[in-house]
Structures are given as C-alpha cells and as structure tokens.
C-alpha cells in the first residue's frame, strides 16, 4: 500500500520497504535497550538457528504454516496466469488484485511463522527457486511443491554442515545459508555476464 498499489514501481517499493524497515528497526532497538535479557535473546535469534527449538514452539506455528502453504498451493494457477501480465491474467480468469493480496497473506504466514521459530535465516527463499527452476520450469504449479521439498532439505543440510565443520563448536544455520547464498549469487552474476558477452 505504501509503495503505491497499482502504480507501484521498483523504486517506490524499495523506498516504502526502507521506510517501514527503519520504523520497525527503531521500535526493536527501543525494546532491546529497555530489557537486557531481550537484547541477549535477540542477538542469538538474529543469527538464525535450529538449535534449542522445542516441539512446543513448532506446534504453535503449525496452523499458520499449514494455512499459508494451502493458500500458496491454491494460488499456483492464478500466479502462473499473472506472470503473463495483468491483461493476460484477466483473460485467463485470474483476478490480479486479489491474487496479489492473497499472495502477500500466504507469504506473511509462511515467512512470519518460520522467522518466529528459527530467526531470520536468509537466502533460502532466493536459492531454492533458482535451484529447482531448471527442471520444473517457471510454472508455479510445479515450482511451489519442489520448493516446499527442497527448502527443508537445504535447511537440514546446512544445519548438519554447521554442526560438523568446526567441532566441537557450531556454526549457526543462518551463517551457512548466507555463505551458500552468496556463492550462488556470485555464480548467477557470472553466468549473466557470460550470457551478455
């Protein structure tokens, strides 16, 4: 809504995101300064980890994850139509505005739940679609189920690597995925440069 809804441009969306991020960052910093215990917990949480997460915490977010996943899978066909453009999507029977709003709801449920449990573990949502697209194609009806299978596999693999690579210490899963994500995007940039030549 802050980005301009239908009149949104990448620049307006980036500025709106930056503004919201700055406001929420100030709020979170205020909470941390008031409560030192919260500061210590927050420092550990912001790295992103699977360590020390009990089943009770997971069961609290299962309904949200299930609802977000169901909504995402139901939106696969309209998202495929929307990728062709608004006019083509309308011609195919999809409602672009409703599809965007419901997509935001699904993303919020899925990402918010995962972040609440594990912390902000970066690059998973960026790496996996790039990894599976070569054999699924761009159709969300295939892309979403494969991403739903491969993302947890990446998380578990990263967690295992983080636990065994520097014994007896442990590297948090968020650090491992950030390292892997950085390597992937360097490779993608190099591939695009070669393709342009």
């Amino acid at each position: 809504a802050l980005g301009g809804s239908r009149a949104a441009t990448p620049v307006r969306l980036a500025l709106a995101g930056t503004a919201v991020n700055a406001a929420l960052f100030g709020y979170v910093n205020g909470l941390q300064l008031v409560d030192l215990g919260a500061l210590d917990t927050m420092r550990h949480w912001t790295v992103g980890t699977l360590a020390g997460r009990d089943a009770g915490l997971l069961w609290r977010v299962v309904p949200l994850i299930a609802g977000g996943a169901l909504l995402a899978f139901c939106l696969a066909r309209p998202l495929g139509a929307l990728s062709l453009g608004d006019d083509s999507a309308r011609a195919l029977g999809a409602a672009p505005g409703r599809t965007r709003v419901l997509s935001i709801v699904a993303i919020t449920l899925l990402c918010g739940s995962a972040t609440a449990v594990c912390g902000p573990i970066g690059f998973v949502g960026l790496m996996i679609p790039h990894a599976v697209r070569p054999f699924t194609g761009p159709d969300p009806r295939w892309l979403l189920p494969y991403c739903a299978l491969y993302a947890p596999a990446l998380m578990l693999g990263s967690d295992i690597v983080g636990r065994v690579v520097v014994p007896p210490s442990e590297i948090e899963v968020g650090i491992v995925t950030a390292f892997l994500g950085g390597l992937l995007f360097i490779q993608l940039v190099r591939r695009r440069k070669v393709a342009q030549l």
Side-chain angles (χ1 to χ4, degrees):
L2 290 174
S5 192
R6 290 184 182 178
T9 63
V11 173
R12 289 180 74 175
L13 288 172
L15 289 174
T18 302
V20 171
N21 183 50
L24 294 177
F25 185 73
Y27 173 73
V28 169
N29 277 346
L31 286 179
Q32 290 176 359
L33 292 174
V34 170
D35 184 356
L36 293 179
L39 175 61
D40 192 46
T41 303
M42 184 73 175
R43 280 188 305 131
H44 184 70
W45 178 82
T46 53
V47 175
T49 183
L50 300 179
R53 302 301 184 247
D54 60 3
L57 185 59
L58 177 65
W59 285 112
R60 281 188 261 174
V61 297
V62 161
L64 300 172
I65 292 173
L70 180 64
L71 183 58
F73 287 124
C74 289
L75 289 171
R77 187 179 296 274
L79 284 171
L82 194 60
S83 68
L84 301 172
D86 285 5
D87 293 335
S88 297
R90 284 188 197 92
L92 293 169
R98 184 179 65 202
T99 301
R100 286 188 181 98
V101 168
L102 292 175
S103 296
I104 290 170
V105 170
I107 291 166
T108 302
L109 288 171
L110 291 169
C111 293
S113 301
T115 303
V117 173
C118 302
I121 298 174
F123 288 104
V124 176
L126 295 172
M127 279 192 286
I128 294 300
H130 283 291
V132 300
R133 192 171 282 122
F135 55 91
T136 64
D139 189 349
R141 290 175 295 177
W142 287 99
L143 193 61
L144 288 173
Y146 274 85
C147 287
L149 290 174
Y150 279 82
L154 173 68
M155 289 287 293
L156 290 174
S158 298
D159 189 46
I160 291 168
V161 167
R163 290 174 191 255
V164 300
V165 74
V166 286
S169 298
E170 179 180 330
I171 299 174
E172 304 296 348
V173 68
I175 296 170
V176 177
T177 60
F179 178 75
L180 294 174
L183 292 177
L184 174 74
F185 281 102
I186 289 169
Q187 182 63 29
L188 287 172
V189 168
R190 291 183 68 205
R191 190 180 302 165
R192 285 187 182 169
K193 282 184 179 178
V194 170
Q196 288 174 352
L197 295 175

